[in-house]
């Protein structure tokens, strides 16, 4: 039986406790609920980056009664773009069924320039410089200016490194050449060479010397643990205030001169929450930064007490000597919140720091990036925020009442995303569970008499239509089989990603302003990934699984320049967007809107699913469901000839792969015991403890532990002799062959009758 999936990293909502408080109802007359007639852009295209539009389709009412068949028919053409738009037939207008008086949601805070990969790399470096200089006791309050613009310290560092370092650049008198590389000229700024040299010498070089001393040791430690940045903390909303009073923020008593630019406030990198958090627990706590609380605990009188504390509190173990004790000298890092003996540091600290203190690992690697949790809103209160923001923002741009054309909004969005020193903050109500909040569509349970509740194109019904494999999953996987809701505001963003398990997705906009999408077809997915890694290697060094995190943008212009095919489309009320397997997609909202999305998996998805399962295994990413279990369940439950026709190839692939893995296990452990179990186990009991893959058909275990591994990671199980290990199988080889042969025979019989 298929089990409930582990919630995505962005899950952060739960049903609020206590009586429901009603808000003013959303006035549906105040939001767009229909789209104007489609008017394709001119050819050649005028959209930013010269992007071409993804295809748009217009099904008839009859075709829209079978949406998966229709998508299968348009797939050969549409999948070349990765995404497509579908305009439902005229007259298909499901009512919006959420109670807007009781619907409440929490947002994510998005800082636009922190999402763009290369800009974030730049800001990360400034953040590390900030922490380092502040910790050294000589904070840098301003970024030097040259030619009336701040010097790009990260790019300066790259230019100097590319030429062999400070000494070689100075000896070869290449500072002017570096200035030209940063788009400065001597004519514009006569002191260019000296300004760049001093900026490097005073700000960059001390930190680079620190890196050279400490990074090799940390890299060796990270390689042995499989971690790049240690355990990250969930920063509170007070963190920015504390940091902004330090190195790269200008203090009130020291206004910026016309020669220097205050650096952007030090940023709070947030670890994405994995737990469901109730509204009652959402109030941020303020960290205590007093000197007495810099230590993990107060001094204790006995070694036994030290050992007891160390066992109960991981912070009581020093990250350097890996021992407890001396808790009165245990200093807690403000980044990773792990303990460090003051006498183990290099050089040792004689006194407790009066400001934030960061360990060497955090000064070098920083923290994983993710979105912070925002405020709780009703639809009416969020509408007020959205409308006020957009009106005031674009009035400053010269647009009457803030009514900017879509092209202007799109161009301004990318300008802000790529700006290092201009930060705009927006909020996005994303990944809201319809199982908790309700669906915008009519449902059979809530609206049994509404004709749209049973319509096949209702997003609640699509995952379990006859042609979707998800109908063989017995539990509701939130976000995949149960729709998620999205409440957008101007510039709120969904970053580059493809769907879980490379499945299809379908997104319907109920009402509101335009949502712009960018799509990359599966054929260009590998080139996209390579371009991302080459463009922001520092981010991938810090977060190897960055592409799974949905937190990074890279402009279509940069992608196109590197040979990646990118197309775009604009989604408006009542319109549908479909993304195809393995297709990367991203986009942003032009204003207040409400959309709903879900996944589905028709038969042509299967080979993508196998490929994605292997990719998850390589990256040690938790799958949402077991692909092999889904294929086996389909084979046993669905004996229809039409199913057997496509399923026979999937069974051949599964049989060959599984018997090969079993043969490998027997080769590695000739004395291993084989245990045949004819029942399903909970997914946590078939998950490899090393790579996290689900091994539904067979697992390797040992009597010394409840953990299991796949055949690729036998060495990670335990230190026991191979004779203590066992190979536990769900079906014997003969049983698997019989099931495969039965599917093949059904398909052959159907072919003979045709």
């Amino acid at each position: 039986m298929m089990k409930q999936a582990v919630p995505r990293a962005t899950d952060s909502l739960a049903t609020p406790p206590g009586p429901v408080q009603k808000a003013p109802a959303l006035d549906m007359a105040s939001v767009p609920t229909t789209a104007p007639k489609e008017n394709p852009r001119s050819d050649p295209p005028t959209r930013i980056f010269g992007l071409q539009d993804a295809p748009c389709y217009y099904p008839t009412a009859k075709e829209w009664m079978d949406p998966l068949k229709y998508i299968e028919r348009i797939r050969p053409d549409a999948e070349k773009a990765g995404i497509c738009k579908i305009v439902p037939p005229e007259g298909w207008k499901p009512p919006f069924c959420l109670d807007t008086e009781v619907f409440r949601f929490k947002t994510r805070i998005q800082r636009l320039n922190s999402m763009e990969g290369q800009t974030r790399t730049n800001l990360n470096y400034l953040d590390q410089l900030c922490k380092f200089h502040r910790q050294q006791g000589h904070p840098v309050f301003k970024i030097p200016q040259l030619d009336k613009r701040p010097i790009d310290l990260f790019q300066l560092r790259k230019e100097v490194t590319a030429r062999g370092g400070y000494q070689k650049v100075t000896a070869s008198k290449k500072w002017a050449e570096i200035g030209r590389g940063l788009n400065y000229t001597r004519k514009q700024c006569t002191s260019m060479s000296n300004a760049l040299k001093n900026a490097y010498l005073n700000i960059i070089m001390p930190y680079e010397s620190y890196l050279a001393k400490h990074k090799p040791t940390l890299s060796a430690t990270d390689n042995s643990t499989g971690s790049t940045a240690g355990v990250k903390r969930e920063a509170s909303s007070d963190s920015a205030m504390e940091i902004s009073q330090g190195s790269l923020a200008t203090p009130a008593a020291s206004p910026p001169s016309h020669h220097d630019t205050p650096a952007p406030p030090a940023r709070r990198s947030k670890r994405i929450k994995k737990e469901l958090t109730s509204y009652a627990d959402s109030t941020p706590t303020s960290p205590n930064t007093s000197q007495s609380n810099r230590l993990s605990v107060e001094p204790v009188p006995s070694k036994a007490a030290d050992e007891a504390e160390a066992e109960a509190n991981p912070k009581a173990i020093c990250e350097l000597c890996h021992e407890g004790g001396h808790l009165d000298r245990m200093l807690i890092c403000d980044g990773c919140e792990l303990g460090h003996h003051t006498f183990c540091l290099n050089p040792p600290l004689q006194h407790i720091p009066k400001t934030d203190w960061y360990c060497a690992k955090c000064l070098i690697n920083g923290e994983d990036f993710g979105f912070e949790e925002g405020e709780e809103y009703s639809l009416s209160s969020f509408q007020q925020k959205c409308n006020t923001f957009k009106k005031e923002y674009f009035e400053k741009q010269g647009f009457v009442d803030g009514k900017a054309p879509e092209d202007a909004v799109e161009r301004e969005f990318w300008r802000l995303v790529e700006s290092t020193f201009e930060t705009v903050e927006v909020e996005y109500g994303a990944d809201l569970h319809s199982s908790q909040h309700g669906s915008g569509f009519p449902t059979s349970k809530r609206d049994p008499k509404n004709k749209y509740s049973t319509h096949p194109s209702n997003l609640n019904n699509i995952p379990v239509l006859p042609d979707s494999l998800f109908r063989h999953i017995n539990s509701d996987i939130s976000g995949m089989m149960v729709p998620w809701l999205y409440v957008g505001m101007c510039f709120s963003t969904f970053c580059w990603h493809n769907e879980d398990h490379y499945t299809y997705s379908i997104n319907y906009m109920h009402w509101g302003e335009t949502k712009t999408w960018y799509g990359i077809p599966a054929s260009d997915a590998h080139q996209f990934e390579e371009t991302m890694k080459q463009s922001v290697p520092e981010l991938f060094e810090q977060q190897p699984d960055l592409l799974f995190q949905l937190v990074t943008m890279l402009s279509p212009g940069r992608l196109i320049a590197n040979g990646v095919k990118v197309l775009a489309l604009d989604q408006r009320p009542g319109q549908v967007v479909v993304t195809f397997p393995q297709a990367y997609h991203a986009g942003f909202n032009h204003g207040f809107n409400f959309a709903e999305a879900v996944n589905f998996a028709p038969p042509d998805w299967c080979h993508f699913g196998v490929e994605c399962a292997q990719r998850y295994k390589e990256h040690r990413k938790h799958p949402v469901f077991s692909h092999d279990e889904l294929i086996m369940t389909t084979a046993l439950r669905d004996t229809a000839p039409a199913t057997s026709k496509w399923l026979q190839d999937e069974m051949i692939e599964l049989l060959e792969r599984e018997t090969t893995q079993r043969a490998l296990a027997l080769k590695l452990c000739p004395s291993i015991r084989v245990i045949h179990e004819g029942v399903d186990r909970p997914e946590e009991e078939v998950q490899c403890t090393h790579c996290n893959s689900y091994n539904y058909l067979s697992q390797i275990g040992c009597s010394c532990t409840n953990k299991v591994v796949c055949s690729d990671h036998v060495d990670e199980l335990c230190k026991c002799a191979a004779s203590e290990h066992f190979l536990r199988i769900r079906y014997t080889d003969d049983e698997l062959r019989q099931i495969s042969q039965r599917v093949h025979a059904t398909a052959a019989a159907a072919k003979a009758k045709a």
Side-chain angles (χ1 to χ4, degrees):
M1 183 178 70
M2 306 300 290
K3 304 297 182 181
Q4 175 69 36
V6 176
R8 289 185 184 180
T10 49
D11 292 348
S12 60
L13 296 168
T15 304
V20 176
Q21 296 183 346
K22 290 192 174 184
L26 178 69
D27 180 5
M28 297 303 295
S30 67
V31 295
T33 55
T34 59
K37 187 176 180 180
E38 285 297 300
N39 183 23
R41 295 182 183 238
S42 59
D43 192 17
T46 59
R47 190 191 287 269
I48 189 172
F49 310 121
L51 293 173
Q52 297 278 359
D53 280 350
C56 180
Y57 300 93
Y58 299 84
T60 64
K62 182 179 180 180
E63 289 172 328
W64 199 229
M65 284 297 294
D66 195 344
L68 298 194
K69 286 291 185 186
Y70 183 75
I71 292 169
E72 181 184 10
R73 184 167 70 79
I74 65 175
R75 177 176 60 84
D77 178 58
E79 68 179 354
K80 296 175 184 177
I83 60 174
C84 75
K85 177 162 64 176
I86 297 177
V87 179
E90 189 174 350
W92 193 81
K93 296 180 179 179
F96 184 66
C97 292
L98 278 181
D99 186 342
T100 62
E101 292 183 341
V102 300
F103 177 77
R104 301 187 68 84
F105 63 97
K106 284 202 171 183
T107 61
R108 299 174 188 163
I109 296 173
Q110 298 181 323
R111 296 178 182 89
L112 298 185
N113 59 353
S114 293
M115 293 186 292
E116 205 280 333
Q118 293 184 335
T119 307
R120 183 157 86 241
T121 302
N122 196 320
L123 291 171
N124 282 349
Y125 188 72
L126 292 180
D127 198 37
Q128 300 309 92
L129 285 175
C130 159
K131 293 175 181 176
F132 171 78
H133 282 286
R134 184 180 184 188
Q135 190 153 305
Q136 300 304 308
H138 43 78
V140 178
F141 291 109
K142 305 179 185 73
I143 294 178
Q145 272 200 351
L146 192 56
D147 189 25
K148 299 181 181 180
R149 58 187 172 96
I151 295 174
D152 188 333
L153 296 177
F154 178 68
Q155 193 61 35
L156 174 59
R157 175 241 187 190
K158 290 182 70 174
E159 294 285 345
V160 172
T161 301
R163 291 166 176 79
Y166 175 83
Q167 299 295 343
K168 287 188 177 181
V169 169
T170 302
S172 304
K173 299 181 179 179
K174 291 187 175 181
W175 289 106
E177 178 183 316
I178 288 176
R180 290 190 292 272
L182 297 174
N183 297 319
Y184 296 112
T185 64
R186 284 186 181 277
K187 185 177 181 181
Q188 294 171 316
C189 37
T190 55
S191 59
M192 176 180 67
S193 294
N194 283 336
L196 294 176
K197 180 179 179 180
N198 289 335
Y200 189 92
L201 184 64
N202 296 326
I203 301 177
I204 298 175
M205 195 168 179
Y207 179 58
E208 291 299 313
S209 299
Y210 179 88
L211 288 180
K213 179 179 179 181
H214 292 276
K215 195 166 186 177
T217 303
L218 290 179
S219 297
T221 302
D222 291 340
N223 289 337
S224 66
T225 62
S227 170
T228 58
V231 178
K232 306 302 175 190
R233 71 167 173 172
E234 186 78 37
S236 77
S237 61
D238 295 356
S239 302
M241 178 187 70
E242 296 165 12
I243 297 173
S244 69
Q245 295 169 353
S247 61
L248 288 182
T250 305
S254 179
S257 72
H258 66 280
H259 298 295
D260 300 300
T261 296
R267 301 175 305 84
R268 292 164 286 167
S269 295
K270 299 278 289 184
R271 199 174 122 206
I272 301 173
K273 287 189 174 182
K274 296 184 184 295
E275 301 83 9
L276 292 175
T277 306
S278 75
Y279 295 138
D281 297 330
S282 63
T283 304
T285 56
S286 299
N288 190 334
T289 56
S290 66
Q291 183 170 338
S292 63
N293 285 295
R294 307 289 300 165
L295 304 175
S296 61
V297 291
E298 293 298 314
V300 289
S302 69
K303 182 177 179 180
D306 269 0
E307 292 175 349
E309 177 66 21
E311 184 175 350
N313 182 6
K315 298 177 186 179
I317 301 294
C318 175
E319 287 294 293
L320 301 175
C321 68
H322 305 293
E323 295 183 2
H326 302 283
L327 298 184
D328 58 321
R329 304 295 302 277
M330 190 75 76
L331 184 59
I332 306 300
C333 172
D334 280 290
C336 60
E337 289 193 336
L338 297 176
H340 301 74
H341 286 134
T342 55
F343 51 78
C344 289
L345 300 171
N346 183 18
L349 285 182
Q350 302 302 320
H351 305 285
I352 302 302
K354 296 181 180 180
T355 60
D356 286 355
W357 177 85
Y358 297 91
C359 66
K361 182 176 289 188
C362 288
L363 282 178
I364 293 172
N365 291 327
E367 298 186 23
D368 290 352
F369 178 80
F371 298 128
E372 301 171 48
E373 188 177 78
E375 299 297 321
E376 181 184 278
Y377 295 93
S378 65
L379 285 175
S380 57
S381 63
F382 194 59
Q383 180 188 35
Q384 183 178 4
K385 175 186 177 67
C386 296
N387 292 347
T388 300
F389 169 83
K390 186 173 183 179
K391 180 177 184 294
E392 293 179 352
Y393 187 91
F394 282 102
E395 279 183 341
K396 294 177 183 177
Q397 304 282 327
F399 296 99
V400 178
D401 292 331
K403 295 180 179 179
E406 290 179 355
D407 185 70
V409 176
E410 184 175 22
R411 292 178 184 276
E412 181 64 8
F413 168 78
W414 285 110
R415 187 191 71 80
L416 291 171
V417 164
E418 296 186 299
S419 173
T420 303
F421 296 102
E422 185 174 355
T423 299
V424 170
E425 184 178 284
V426 297
E427 295 182 66
Y428 194 13
D431 296 348
L432 309 175
H433 301 207
S434 65
S435 57
Q436 298 173 10
H437 296 277
S439 170
F441 284 95
T443 63
S444 298
K445 183 177 181 180
R446 184 183 58 196
D447 315 284
K449 296 182 179 180
N450 191 298
K451 66 177 182 178
Y452 288 100
S453 65
T454 56
H455 195 286
S457 292
N458 181 325
L459 265 59
N460 292 281
N461 302 326
I462 283 180
V464 292
L465 291 176
D467 289 330
S468 176
L469 271 68
F470 284 169
R471 68 192 179 96
H472 297 299
I473 297 179
N474 292 333
S475 60
D476 294 335
I477 303 175
S478 181
M480 295 197 75
M481 292 181 61
V482 178
W484 275 356
L485 313 174
Y486 299 85
V487 190
M489 71 175 288
C490 185
F491 299 143
S492 60
T493 308
F494 51 106
C495 296
W496 288 114
H497 68 287
N498 46 29
E499 297 299 307
D500 287 337
H501 290 262
Y502 290 168
T503 55
Y504 285 78
S505 76
I506 184 167
N507 182 295
Y508 177 78
M509 181 182 286
H510 288 279
W511 46 258
E513 296 193 52
T514 299
K515 186 190 296 283
T516 291
W517 293 69
Y518 305 99
I520 296 169
S523 58
D524 284 51
H526 178 72
Q527 182 62 29
F528 165 80
E529 292 165 1
E530 289 303 309
T531 299
M532 287 283 284
K533 292 173 183 177
Q534 292 168 12
S535 299
V536 287
E538 297 86 358
L539 296 185
F540 280 91
E541 181 180 352
Q542 181 179 336
Q543 285 180 274
D545 63 347
L546 184 67
L547 289 174
F548 295 127
Q549 300 303 322
L550 286 76
V551 294
T552 304
M553 292 293 275
L554 203 63
S555 81
R558 288 177 178 165
L559 295 172
I560 292 170
N562 284 274
V564 180
K565 182 179 181 180
V566 186
L567 292 95
L569 61 79
D570 296 310
Q571 181 189 22
R572 300 181 178 89
Q575 297 178 346
V576 168
V577 171
V578 173
T579 71
F580 289 83
Q582 202 181 355
Y584 278 95
H585 46 282
F588 73 97
N589 298 293
H590 290 241
F592 183 50
N593 60 23
F594 193 105
E596 189 163 349
V598 78
N599 294 97
F600 61 97
D604 62 76
W605 157 81
C606 283
H607 71 279
F608 288 102
V610 173
E611 183 179 338
C612 190
Q614 180 59 34
R615 185 173 185 237
Y616 284 179
K617 181 183 178 77
E618 293 169 357
H619 288 271
R620 300 172 67 177
K621 174 178 168 59
H622 287 265
V624 178
F625 58 84
S626 167
H627 184 90
D628 288 350
E629 184 177 0
L630 178 58
I631 296 300
M632 289 298 299
T633 304
T634 303
L636 294 171
R637 287 184 180 178
D638 191 345
T639 59
T643 300
S644 299
K645 183 178 179 180
W646 62 262
L647 187 58
Q648 58 181 334
D649 292 337
E650 305 306 323
M651 285 300 303
I652 290 172
E653 187 279 331
L654 183 150
L655 177 62
E656 181 178 346
R657 173 165 46 84
E658 178 61 23
T659 53
T660 299
Q661 290 175 344
R662 292 180 182 184
L664 175 61
L666 294 172
K667 181 179 179 181
L668 293 173
C669 308
S671 59
I672 195 170
R673 292 178 294 127
V674 179
I675 302 174
H676 174 217
E677 286 189 349
V679 295
D680 291 344
R681 282 179 167 263
E683 60 187 19
E684 63 270 14
E685 295 183 15
V686 300
Q687 187 169 29
C688 176
T689 189
H690 181 77
C691 68
N692 296 312
S693 63
Y694 287 144
N695 299 277
Y696 170 69
L697 293 172
S698 62
Q699 320 91 41
I700 298 174
C702 182
S703 56
C704 75
T705 178
N706 291 327
K707 297 178 181 178
V708 296
V709 294
C710 63
S711 57
D712 292 328
H713 300 117
V714 176
D715 293 341
E716 305 294 336
L717 179 60
C718 63
K719 297 181 180 179
C720 297
S723 58
E724 297 297 321
H725 295 170
F726 58 83
L727 174 65
R728 186 170 59 210
I729 60 176
R730 174 64 179 85
Y731 300 96
T732 66
D733 290 3
D734 286 341
E735 287 174 333
L736 289 177
R737 291 190 185 94
Q738 289 172 8
I739 295 171
S740 180
Q741 290 168 0
R742 186 164 63 243
V743 171
H744 183 79
T746 303
K751 184 177 181 181
K753 290 181 180 180

